[in-house]
Amino acid sequence: MKEQGIRCMAISEKIQGFLSGSSWIRKMFEEGVSLKRQYGAENVFDFSLGNPNLEPPARFKELLRHVAGEDIPGMHGYMPNAGYLETRDAVASYLSREHGVSLSAEHIIMTCGAGGALNVILKALLDPGEEVIIPAPFFVEYRFYVDNSGGITKLVKTREDFSLDLGAIGDTFTEKTKIVLINSPNNPTGKVYDEATIRGLAALLEEKCRVYGRDIYLVSDEPYSDIVYDGVKVPSILLASKNGILASSYSKGLSLAGERIGFIALNPKIAGVEEVINGMILCNRILGFVNAPALMQRIVARMHGERVNVEEYKRKRDMLCDGLSSLGYQFTRPEGAFYLFARTPIEDDVAFVRALQRRKILTVPGSGFGGPGHFRIAYCVDDATIINAMEGFGQTLREYLQCLTP
Ligand SMILES: Cc1ncc(COP(=O)(O)O)c(C=O)c1O
């Protein structure tokens, strides 16, 4: 029985606000489920979710069987909060080779995916009210992650081709800036920042550290670093910036998104790096992650250098780009990840996405990523979905172009 005068609301007002204002991706996914029930899955073209559709490399299943069959006392028990030493060693060796830096196990913390890594980093570095500069368009969860640690998100627009506007980023610093958070290859744009940009950003950060007399960190979120095309390289944040911190995972490169395994790597030159690492290890614990999944740590330690068949994603990218550009869509060709962020022919991207939805094509409005006037297509889908959606993509664009022609 409800008592009179007592407001009966189970969740906080803040989370209610997040629920109603948040995730277009979820919304489209849920509407997709009901459309598929109504019309059959083969008649709905679902580009809403960034869930890898390639299977992990065959070696993953071999190792899974092997590791599960091993009989090591305590192998399912607690461990040091930073993760197994052998795994951290393996990550450090791999990154040292790949990035041309000298890392050892103590600069690595194993985490529950890149999402876990980012939450640990933000929690350890931010005091309430401190600011995190994030180029837009951006991965939607960042705002929530920053809020989880009491920080303030400061968005900065990227250029027309989604490259970083260092001038605009420079103008956004204040005495409260603690972190610049970038994501390359980027979700939702597929952009990979080039070496000159990363160097420029690192130099800007150093200058701002001097101006404000405090440490400011350059955090790079790189779960898609293995998914790049046409010989494009992801420049090393650890090499470029003394205050560089890398957050990454095996979710996309090995298609292990559901297994929740990733890591943090810190530049050993960070001032007081031992304390920063200890703070992050504590945060891994007190955020309730405790440690990254035990079996997965033992598997990924033996899989560095392996990845899903990236050629498959490239083929899908090319198929989608060729199809859309011949229909008249405008976009910057993605260089990595598995997203294409195309322009909408009208300003109202939500209306355009709704129009695509009427043709049973599910995409996500750019406004949800801080990139209005665009829509995101996640092309980690079957070839048939791309091929069969082209007719609807064409009809929808023509419908709008006809309305726009005087
Ligand atoms: C840019 C970006 N960062 C982080 C994540 C989270 O990755 P993980 O599943 O490894 O936590 C995602 C997942 O889609 C992402 O797109």
Side-chain angles (χ1 to χ4, degrees):
M1 203 174 73
K2 271 190 212 163
E3 280 187 47
Q4 278 212 329
I6 295 180
R7 208 169 53 116
C8 202
M9 193 184 282
I11 58 171
S12 71
E13 280 181 38
K14 179 167 153 178
I15 294 298
Q16 271 217 331
F18 284 177
L19 264 182
S20 57
S22 85
S23 197
W24 265 104
I25 303 178
R26 265 291 123 203
K27 225 176 268 176
M28 294 311 283
F29 176 71
E30 277 153 22
E31 290 179 19
V33 170
S34 105
L35 278 178
K36 283 173 196 169
R37 212 175 292 132
Q38 215 177 330
Y39 297 101
E42 69 286 3
N43 298 313
V44 177
F45 313 111
D46 189 351
F47 299 96
S48 62
L49 268 192
N51 200 9
N53 76 320
L54 302 181
E55 284 303 305
R59 182 158 160 73
F60 172 74
K61 287 195 183 148
E62 279 166 32
L63 278 169
L64 185 59
R65 272 190 288 271
H66 175 74
V67 165
E70 280 179 335
D71 202 5
I72 303 170
M75 66 184 264
H76 302 294
Y78 288 126
M79 67 182 80
N81 298 120
Y84 290 126
L85 188 58
E86 309 84 82
T87 306
R88 296 162 68 206
D89 246 334
V91 176
S93 305
Y94 179 69
L95 292 179
S96 297
R97 274 197 312 279
E98 287 289 299
H99 289 240
V101 292
S102 178
L103 295 179
S104 52
E106 68 259 30
H107 306 119
I108 309 294
I109 301 167
M110 299 309 294
T111 61
C112 294
L118 289 167
N119 274 287
V120 165
I121 293 168
L122 294 165
K123 174 97 176 160
L125 296 181
L126 289 177
D127 271 314
E130 288 189 317
E131 295 168 355
V132 181
I133 296 177
I134 301 176
F138 62 100
F139 175 49
V140 276
E141 306 297 73
Y142 288 165
R143 267 186 193 280
F144 301 122
Y145 293 174
V146 171
D147 178 82
N148 285 346
S149 294
I152 308 288
T153 295
K154 301 286 286 258
L155 297 178
V156 188
K157 267 183 153 177
T158 51
R159 296 181 195 281
E160 192 74 11
D161 66 351
F162 308 123
S163 58
L164 295 182
D165 183 341
L166 296 186
I169 292 177
D171 293 342
T172 311
F173 280 81
T174 72
E175 65 283 350
K176 289 193 171 163
T177 305
K178 190 70 178 283
I179 295 171
V180 176
L181 170 58
I182 58 169
N183 164 225
S184 171
N186 189 268
N187 175 8
T189 66
K191 184 78 189 165
V192 178
Y193 305 132
D194 63 19
E195 177 120 24
T197 303
I198 294 298
R199 278 175 200 264
L201 183 59
L204 176 66
L205 206 87
E206 249 183 65
E207 180 203 322
K208 296 295 180 184
C209 289
R210 272 195 305 276
V211 170
Y212 293 108
R214 67 186 317 215
D215 274 313
I216 303 168
Y217 299 89
L218 182 51
V219 177
S220 189
D221 176 29
E222 301 183 9
Y224 301 94
S225 60
D226 282 341
I227 304 175
V228 284
Y229 314 121
D230 311 321
V232 165
K233 290 228 160 23
V234 181
S236 168
I237 203 73
L238 299 174
L239 200 58
S241 174
K242 180 179 109 24
N243 281 357
I245 301 176
L246 174 63
S248 194
S249 74
Y250 304 87
S251 298
K252 316 288 171 160
L254 290 180
S255 277
L256 296 181
E259 301 294 350
R260 314 308 306 134
I261 180 78
F263 61 83
I264 298 168
L266 294 99
N267 189 327
K269 293 189 191 132
I270 287 175
V273 69
E274 219 172 288
E275 191 187 28
V276 177
I277 290 168
N278 286 339
M280 289 185 188
I281 294 172
L282 175 77
C283 291
N284 209 20
R285 190 182 100 208
I286 65 179
L287 281 168
F289 300 125
V290 182
N291 57 251
L295 279 185
M296 286 303 130
Q297 286 197 49
R298 297 187 43 229
I299 293 173
V300 297
R302 300 180 217 184
M303 288 198 71
H304 289 111
E306 298 219 29
R307 63 196 61 167
V308 292
N309 184 1
V310 176
E311 276 304 303
E312 270 292 290
Y313 286 135
K314 179 185 177 309
R315 213 175 42 72
K316 290 175 197 294
R317 178 203 64 168
D318 292 345
M319 200 190 301
L320 182 66
C321 287
D322 293 349
L324 291 181
S325 76
S326 69
L327 293 171
Y329 279 90
Q330 293 183 349
F331 54 86
T332 301
R333 198 177 181 82
E335 301 165 296
F338 37 58
Y339 308 102
L340 186 145
F341 205 56
R343 290 234 210 122
T344 49
I346 48 164
E347 253 177 60
D348 187 347
D349 49 303
V350 174
F352 187 72
V353 162
R354 287 285 180 219
L356 285 172
Q357 195 184 349
R358 286 195 286 279
R359 294 203 155 85
K360 305 188 193 66
I361 299 173
L362 306 175
T363 60
V364 185
S367 322
F369 304 95
H374 295 79
F375 66 110
R376 190 192 77 169
I377 304 170
Y379 56 85
C380 42
V381 296
D382 289 347
D383 289 5
T385 304
I386 299 174
I387 294 163
N388 297 332
M390 281 302 150
E391 192 182 337
F393 273 124
Q395 287 166 344
T396 314
L397 184 67
R398 281 195 296 279
E399 190 179 289
Y400 277 94
L401 292 181
Q402 272 157 17
C403 294
L404 294 173
T405 317

